[in-house]
Amino acid sequence: MTLVKTKIGRRSFIRTSALAGGGMMVGFSWLASCKMTPEEVNALPKEWFEINGFLKIGDNGKVTIMSPNPEIGQNVKTAMPMIVADELDVDWKDVIVEQAPLNLDIFQRQLAGGSQSIRAGWEGLRMAGATARKMLKQAAAKAWEVPIEEITTSNGVLYHKASNKSAGYGEMASAAVTVQSPDAAPESIEAPEEVELKEIKDFTIIGTDRLNVDGPDIVTGKPLFGLDVYEEGMLTAMIVHPPAFGKKYKSMNVDNVKSMPGIKDVFPITVYPEGVEKQWSDGGGIPELVAIVGESTWQCMQAKKALKVEWEGPSELESTASYGNDLDKLLEAPVTAARKDGDFNRAFKGAAKTIERTYSAPFLAHNTMEPMNFYAHVTDEKAILKGPIQTPEFLEKTVSAVLDMPLDKIDIGMTRMGGGFGRRLYGHFGVEAAVISKKAKAPIKLVYSREDDMTQGTYRPAYKVKFKAGLDEDNKLIAYYVKGVGTNDDLIFENRFPAGAVDNYLAEKTSLETKITTGAWRAPRSNFIAGAEQSFMDEVAELAGKDPIEFRLDLFDRAMKNPVGDPEKNDYDAERYAGVLKLVKEKSNWTNSGDKARGVSAYYCHNSYVAQVLHLTMDGNTPKVDKVWCAVDCGIVINPISAKNQIEGGIIDGIGHAMYSQMTFKDGVPEQQNFDNYRLIRNNEAPKEIESYFVDNGIDPTGLGEPSLPPIVGALANALYKATGQRHYSQPFNTEKQILG
Amino acid sequence: MANFSVKVNGKTVDLEVDGSTPMLWVLRDHLKLVGTKYGCGIAQCGACTVHLGDNAVRSCQLPISSVGEKEITTIEGLSENGDHPVQKAWLEIDVPQCGYCQAGQIMTASALLKSNPSPSDDEIEGAMNGNICRCGTYTRIKKAIKTAAAENTNA
Ligand code: FES
Ligand code: FES
């Protein structure tokens, strides 16, 4: 056992004693149509005892565990409670999972993003479970008048072996919440100062396959998502935003639109009034919009079509061609180095062989399947908001500033999200909903059409990167240069691989300001730089006449044994990196793959290591991905079946966007508005088979929602080269002539 | 506005809406059957798929005025207890990620299996190509359809 000090805020252990069972469950099914079956009702405890902010135990042994973080499909709603349940030592079938409300007094980091939910929550979740277990043990020790050290637990039951006593958690729950200080006010109840955490080998839930807790509701179409919120008296709102980036509202003719059936009001809004600073979490929120409020979505859509708004703005608007040129110019412009080891220029000049390549990628929309939306009911007294948001805490702050209302009058509810990929970090749509509700003096649900969603901005930046490499007579990599540029983003992680593995290394970066708004998109920067770097590395290995895996392993060896520069600076662990590469080599039987079209790639981001081998065949001019092998080192895997789902999703997402997707612009106007001309990967283009393997090393868990995406682009490009003899330098690959024929 | 009477999940419902209103919004806004999802509104994504008779159709392209006597089945009416072989296979394979597209995927898959109880890989891809999954659950969807098909033939 590991003893740890409890670090959770003390307030999280303040409890009320008994809560009525029925009352609790009303909060649980916040949408009226979630009727419980008679079996479910019978299984409900008569009383619940709130042990701490994370969990409550019913008198019949049922345990409700709160999942603190927003759910975007990364399945933390199953994984986070699994961690609590394991330390609490209960049977998973007795666990009911509930989405926790925003409450930063209890929960530490209620944010979905950067693949950090599990990594950041790990300790706190374990402690929440372990603390509750200890409190139950204390209660049993007191009741049975035996030392606490003699009490053991298993699957929700407390035992005292010597006296042959046992009791279910449900029986001790009421004593546990009052044991320390029965007569004192709740404020003065102390949680244990020190608790024991399980050894990894004693985990019974962590590391086992547990099905998605929301699965049954998803496959039967229950209301779960923001768009599914329908409240009493609620109206629908839609917005019209400027057709081109850089334009501003001028005027409109609303008379004929206001009289359309079901339309209640049409008005311009200023989302961020003067004096209110936008925060990072407002992203590319457009300050001036036109709002339409009506009875139903279809009626609002008709009004939107009929409404003519005049916009004004600068005559010189940006186009794909213009920023393409500007990025090219920036690639050649001098900048200060982000990292410099040795003397790249000299080594490159003196090298026996050299190679230089440039790669590019377009803007991308997030295109979550559920378009942006939010429910808001703002009155003079309070603001109630509910919807799909990755950053509820930040939304609450902006809404408070915009409405000029104190934080404690604002209530943000989190619904399940129909995809995030970074898009719902930027909650401007929640702010817009609040502003519209206030002006309309009614509860409204703001709904973006797909076109609104795709043309709103907040895109993955467009990028270009240039690499140069030099080899000596022995085909050893002696000089490496990387320079990255992007729109509103500078692309390069200068301390990532191969920094530390090459004697003469130079990394440079700079960014181009644009009006087209950008934001984090699944695995920011890595989503492009990994594929470019790993494609380049393949060419360098080829130039060196070496097997691409051996070539990379040699570099990791160098970084391990004799790192260049200050090893503390290197943002990766070469041994873990090499580990996933060796694992994927073995699992894919790489050495014996003959002349099959296979590509390899490895990358590190979000604290996790991933290596992949992709195998494809050409069907005429169309590549078919037959199989992907993926090796991952993300420390302890909480829920393998769902971890693999994340990995598969990242792989399919990565292949899809690299192959098919792009946003282009003409005079500031997005040229793609919906899925008829924005290509997303389809069922027949996804790999036939994906096999995932985990490195078993007992290290604390790290991110999994993003790391499988970045490297797959390199594996795809490298396999395409094997199949067609063509290298790919600009995404999307399918618009490059070589593939389309 | 006009009066319509439509059969949804075995019940006849009467309502007054504009005849151009797509069934997608009738189901969601008026009948509060929100399992049928909005994704694109232009027949490109399949999130809004329902059954019209035995066929999978895009409800965003189905004005209420054109439904007539035909029976509409939504995800809520696919089975009484969520135990249609396709739903069961979806749970067993743990298909959903965000879950938003899955009602549409399930409705398309269940219509496919009704007309073709043991589809080939190509037939599965052909039928499912109109349903986008932004989370990338395609590989599992294919597997789940095969699992459901196997249960069909064993039953
Ligand atoms: S919403 Fe009907 S196909 Fe996309
Ligand atoms: S599961 Fe998220 S779109 Fe399919």
Side-chain angles (χ1 to χ4, degrees):
Chain A
M1 300 248 189
T2 325
L3 277 183
V4 293
K5 293 258 182 267
T6 51
K7 277 193 237 151
I8 316 166
R10 218 180 58 77
R11 287 197 56 193
S12 62
F13 297 102
I14 295 169
R15 64 206 63 84
T16 54
S17 53
L19 302 154
M24 289 314 299
M25 296 313 287
V26 172
F28 182 43
S29 29
W30 52 273
L31 286 154
S33 56
C34 295
K35 287 249 166 56
M36 279 179 288
T37 64
E39 293 83 60
E40 280 170 333
V41 174
N42 283 339
L44 285 182
K46 289 183 194 64
E47 269 188 311
W48 284 106
F49 303 98
E50 194 167 332
I51 305 293
N52 57 43
F54 286 87
L55 63 103
K56 47 189 184 247
I57 298 179
D59 56 0
N60 64 347
K62 287 271 170 212
V63 181
T64 294
I65 301 184
M66 308 304 271
S67 180
N69 282 23
E71 176 62 54
I72 47 178
Q74 81 287 44
N75 208 2
V76 287
K77 194 171 168 188
T78 308
M80 296 185 101
M82 281 174 72
I83 300 170
V84 179
D86 208 326
E87 288 290 353
L88 178 60
D89 206 8
V90 284
D91 197 328
W92 184 245
K93 72 170 172 25
D94 290 328
V95 172
I96 302 165
V97 175
E98 234 180 275
Q99 176 72 58
L102 177 62
N103 186 342
L104 293 162
D105 286 339
I106 296 179
F107 309 109
Q108 311 164 48
R109 177 188 181 273
Q110 290 185 286
L111 183 148
S115 295
Q116 300 301 303
S117 291
I118 294 294
R119 179 168 179 251
W122 173 244
E123 257 205 332
L125 294 163
R126 292 183 74 187
M127 275 192 268
T131 306
R133 180 160 154 263
K134 178 143 186 195
M135 288 162 74
L136 290 159
K137 283 166 101 177
Q138 283 172 351
K142 194 171 175 209
W144 297 334
E145 297 178 339
V146 297
I148 185 166
E149 294 75 33
E150 291 174 15
I151 309 265
T152 57
T153 63
S154 168
N155 267 337
V157 182
L158 295 142
Y159 296 96
H160 184 250
K161 291 261 158 60
S163 63
N164 210 9
K165 286 200 174 79
S166 70
Y169 282 5
E171 298 165 56
M172 282 296 166
S174 118
V177 297
T178 49
V179 66
Q180 291 129 339
S181 176
D183 308 316
E187 253 64 25
S188 66
I189 295 172
E190 292 293 332
E193 289 221 326
E194 215 171 38
V195 295
E196 305 102 34
L197 295 183
K198 281 187 175 179
E199 298 291 343
I200 293 171
K201 65 170 176 40
D202 297 326
F203 286 148
T204 55
I205 298 173
I206 293 168
T208 61
D209 286 344
R210 303 292 162 160
L211 299 178
N212 189 330
V213 292
D214 277 341
D217 285 352
I218 290 170
V219 305
T220 52
K222 293 286 186 304
L224 293 168
F225 301 93
L227 214 56
D228 302 342
V229 173
Y230 284 84
E231 296 284 330
E232 202 48 48
M234 181 191 95
L235 297 170
T236 299
M238 296 193 84
I239 47 137
V240 180
H241 66 229
F245 288 91
K247 284 197 180 285
K248 290 200 159 55
Y249 174 74
K250 188 176 170 204
S251 64
M252 64 179 164
N253 186 350
V254 289
D255 295 344
N256 56 335
V257 176
K258 274 192 179 168
S259 60
M260 287 176 75
I263 298 306
K264 300 280 187 193
D265 208 351
V266 181
F267 47 82
I269 56 169
T270 303
V271 184
Y272 302 93
E274 218 157 291
V276 173
E277 289 273 315
K278 272 168 92 182
Q279 324 178 59
W280 71 268
S281 60
D282 294 299
I286 300 171
E288 291 181 352
L289 302 165
V290 172
I292 299 167
V293 179
E295 281 166 11
S296 73
T297 320
W298 183 245
Q299 289 168 329
C300 288
M301 284 179 164
Q302 300 311 102
K304 203 161 133 60
K305 253 189 246 159
L307 185 67
K308 298 276 173 286
V309 185
E310 284 218 45
W311 307 89
E312 60 189 355
S315 54
E316 291 231 344
L317 294 167
E318 293 167 31
S319 293
T320 305
S322 68
Y323 58 69
N325 290 338
D326 291 346
L327 287 175
D328 278 338
K329 268 187 229 148
L330 266 189
L331 263 190
E332 301 310 323
V335 292
T336 39
R339 174 163 170 168
K340 192 169 181 277
D341 297 322
D343 184 342
F344 168 79
N345 285 319
R346 221 182 67 196
F348 188 71
K349 265 195 211 104
K353 291 179 195 163
T354 62
I355 177 170
E356 241 184 273
R357 294 287 183 262
T358 302
Y359 300 79
S360 69
F363 287 98
L364 293 176
H366 293 81
N367 283 329
T368 59
M369 277 316 280
E370 180 195 24
M372 297 309 113
N373 66 83
F374 229 81
Y375 168 82
H377 188 191
V378 177
T379 58
D380 289 343
E381 289 76 46
K382 58 182 194 297
I384 296 171
L385 283 85
K386 183 154 51 183
I389 180 75
Q390 286 175 256
T391 50
E393 177 190 354
F394 293 90
L395 174 61
E396 194 175 55
K397 276 192 206 137
T398 310
V399 168
S400 163
V402 165
L403 299 180
D404 193 18
M405 192 182 261
L407 280 176
D408 61 2
K409 299 260 185 293
I410 298 165
D411 188 37
I412 310 264
M414 292 181 271
T415 61
R416 190 178 181 86
M417 286 175 259
F421 317 110
R423 182 62 184 84
R424 292 188 226 269
L425 291 167
Y426 308 105
H428 57 84
F429 43 87
V431 186
E432 292 157 17
V435 171
I436 295 170
S437 169
K438 184 176 176 183
K439 179 103 197 253
K441 295 196 175 27
I444 59 105
K445 179 174 65 184
L446 170 65
V447 178
Y448 275 31
S449 68
R450 172 58 58 197
E451 289 81 2
D452 295 334
D453 191 277
M454 202 179 288
T455 58
Q456 190 277 338
T458 322
Y459 302 120
R460 193 282 297 269
Y463 292 120
K464 288 202 182 210
V465 63
K466 184 178 196 162
F467 295 102
K468 296 181 194 179
L471 303 171
D472 68 9
E473 283 80 19
D474 300 327
N475 286 311
K476 206 175 127 242
L477 182 61
I478 52 161
Y480 187 92
Y481 169 81
V482 56
K483 179 169 182 178
V485 296
T487 53
N488 308 325
D489 190 19
D490 59 16
L491 185 64
I492 301 298
F493 298 98
E494 60 272 14
N495 293 315
R496 284 195 185 165
F497 178 78
V502 189
D503 283 317
N504 303 287
Y505 172 90
L506 179 59
E508 298 177 333
K509 58 182 181 181
T510 182
S511 75
L512 174 74
E513 291 290 312
T514 58
K515 288 193 206 74
I516 295 165
T517 55
T518 55
W521 191 101
R522 195 176 195 175
R525 298 180 189 170
S526 302
N527 58 43
F528 168 63
I529 192 67
E533 171 203 292
Q534 289 295 299
S535 302
F536 182 64
M537 208 50 88
D538 216 59
E539 285 204 61
V540 180
E542 191 181 34
L543 186 69
K546 288 191 188 154
D547 172 81
I549 293 185
E550 295 312 316
F551 184 75
R552 287 169 173 82
L553 287 176
D554 286 347
L555 290 169
F556 291 129
D557 209 46
R558 170 73 203 269
M560 260 182 276
K561 293 191 180 128
N562 180 20
V564 181
D566 176 3
E568 288 296 304
K569 271 215 288 195
N570 293 341
D571 181 20
Y572 63 93
D573 178 332
E575 204 174 331
R576 292 177 77 182
Y577 228 134
V580 286
L581 207 44
K582 285 178 192 156
L583 183 60
V584 85
K585 180 184 170 188
E586 174 205 323
K587 296 295 181 188
S588 67
N589 199 8
W590 174 264
T591 318
N592 301 316
S593 55
D595 51 8
K596 289 206 184 99
R598 285 185 173 189
V600 66
S601 181
Y603 199 66
Y604 160 80
C605 66
H606 300 91
N607 315 95
S608 296
Y609 299 79
V610 175
Q612 292 155 336
V613 168
L614 180 148
H615 172 61
L616 60 78
T617 42
M618 295 303 288
D619 177 5
N621 286 319
T622 312
K624 295 266 177 207
V625 180
D626 298 305
K627 188 161 179 175
V628 174
W629 293 262
C630 184
V632 178
D633 179 351
C634 58
I636 294 166
V637 179
I638 312 296
N639 187 7
I641 190 172
S642 127
K644 287 179 185 165
N645 207 349
Q646 291 302 306
I647 291 169
E648 292 161 20
I651 288 171
I652 293 170
D653 195 0
I655 293 174
H657 283 92
M659 267 319 277
Y660 309 109
S661 309
Q662 63 177 332
M663 285 298 298
T664 58
F665 303 86
K666 192 153 191 290
D667 299 331
V669 179
E671 293 182 297
Q672 292 75 26
Q673 313 238 334
N674 204 324
F675 298 133
D676 51 345
N677 56 10
Y678 189 103
R679 273 273 271 126
L680 283 173
I681 190 168
R682 300 267 173 179
N683 192 298
N684 68 335
E685 292 153 344
K688 303 257 173 285
E689 209 185 335
I690 300 172
E691 268 177 27
S692 307
Y693 299 91
F694 297 101
V695 175
D696 183 7
N697 55 14
I699 296 173
D700 283 358
T702 52
L704 205 53
E706 295 165 279
S708 73
L709 183 148
I712 199 66
V713 182
L716 171 68
N718 297 338
L720 280 169
Y721 169 69
K722 280 279 197 63
T724 64
Q726 295 288 339
R727 293 281 180 187
H728 292 279
Y729 300 105
S730 52
Q731 296 178 24
F733 296 157
N734 81 326
T735 60
E736 286 190 308
K737 290 236 164 36
Q738 305 91 307
I739 289 195
L740 287 184
Chain B
M1 295 286 218
N3 288 311
F4 294 94
S5 176
V6 282
K7 271 188 234 158
V8 179
N9 297 336
K11 278 189 222 126
T12 303
V13 283
D14 300 307
L15 66 172
E16 197 192 343
V17 288
D18 190 281
S20 71
T21 313
M23 275 313 292
L24 167 64
W25 297 113
V26 172
L27 293 168
R28 293 185 57 84
D29 284 354
H30 299 274
L31 306 181
K32 305 290 184 281
L33 290 167
V34 297
T36 305
K37 299 298 191 221
Y38 166 69
C40 70
I42 59 164
Q44 290 291 319
C45 76
C48 65
T49 306
V50 299
H51 295 174
L52 184 64
D54 284 341
N55 297 323
V57 297
R58 308 289 182 241
S59 66
C60 68
Q61 302 301 306
L62 183 68
I64 187 166
S65 60
S66 71
V67 174
E69 287 297 295
K70 289 211 188 100
E71 172 99 24
I72 287 175
T73 309
T74 71
I75 187 75
E76 291 92 343
L78 183 63
S79 64
E80 208 153 292
N81 301 309
D83 54 0
H84 184 281
V86 172
Q87 288 169 315
K88 284 201 311 202
W90 243 246
L91 291 177
E92 186 189 323
I93 308 294
D94 211 30
V95 175
Q97 285 188 32
C98 83
Y100 192 80
C101 73
Q102 300 296 346
Q105 306 277 3
I106 289 170
M107 294 314 280
T108 305
S110 53
L112 165 70
L113 291 183
K114 188 147 200 186
S115 65
N116 180 358
S118 44
S120 68
D121 289 5
D122 281 354
E123 285 167 337
I124 291 176
E125 288 181 352
M128 301 308 295
N129 250 9
N131 286 75
I132 296 175
C133 175
R134 175 64 183 83
C135 296
T137 61
Y138 296 127
T139 308
R140 286 193 185 207
I141 287 172
K142 295 186 226 203
K143 206 163 148 194
I145 293 176
K146 286 190 192 160
T147 306
E151 168 156 339
N152 266 348
T153 41
N154 291 342

